[in-house]
Amino acid sequence: MKLPAILAIVGVLSGIPGCGAGVRSFGAWHDTSVQGARPHASDTFPVEAVLAPASLVTVELGVSGARLDEGGLTSPALLFQLPRLDRVHVLTLKSKLHVDAGVPGLVYPRVRLLDAQRVPTREFASNQFIYREDLQVTVFLDPTRRAERFVLITADAVPADRLLRVQSLSGPPHRELASFARGVLVLDFRPEPIEHVPFP
């Protein structure tokens, strides 16, 4: 690729909210030129942004049309690149609860850590998430896992019998949270003091 083309791409990316700064509003997700409606294979799927340490990123999964093709099955997906780590970092992903046509629900995410060749090294399915007002998971990243270069987030396929059911104080005794293909995700990526890291 020629230098002018590379500089043009860098210029476009630096103008996208969240690229470089690590903070982004999901309202700007519609304007992302690097995402397309055509499904991509995992080795060609576009990178959304490099996660900056001490950053909070908010996006809406399923809005841009970006979809990952895995063996003919496609799902909305986000791919983030990890920076080189010199200390332990914590990535907390939250799937925000919302109501659509009177039905409460959320995206049930699946998180995969990938190496430089985009081969999974670790995986967190939605049934490993914890529900605390939102559905969330905490992933510890440290310099000893240098092979992990990307975070891939997709919508998990959740059968009806695995839908989350929560206690409601103001409504019916239990409510079932539907699985939506579209919803707001919040990624909180922060360095962690070593005394707080739960070593085995």
Side-chain angles (χ1 to χ4, degrees), residues 59 67 111 168:
V59 292
R67 299 182 70 82
V111 177
S168 175

Coordinates of all heavy atoms in Angstrom, one line a residue, residues 59 67 111 168:
V59 N -20.8 1.2 22.5 CA -21.2 1.0 21.2 C -22.5 0.3 21.2 O -23.0 -0.3 22.2 CB -20.2 0.1 20.4 CG1 -18.9 0.9 20.2 CG2 -19.9 -1.2 21.1
R67 N -21.1 -7.9 10.2 CA -21.4 -9.2 10.6 C -20.3 -10.2 10.4 O -19.5 -10.0 9.4 CB -22.7 -9.7 9.9 CG -23.9 -8.9 10.1 CD -25.1 -9.4 9.4 NE -25.6 -10.7 10.0 CZ -26.4 -10.8 11.0 NH1 -26.7 -9.7 11.7 NH2 -26.8 -11.9 11.5
V111 N -17.6 -13.4 24.3 CA -16.4 -12.7 24.2 C -15.3 -13.7 23.9 O -15.2 -14.7 24.6 CB -16.1 -11.9 25.5 CG1 -14.7 -11.2 25.4 CG2 -17.1 -10.9 25.7
S168 N -38.2 -9.3 40.2 CA -38.6 -7.9 40.1 C -39.4 -7.5 41.3 O -40.3 -8.2 41.7 CB -39.4 -7.7 38.8 OG -39.9 -6.4 38.8

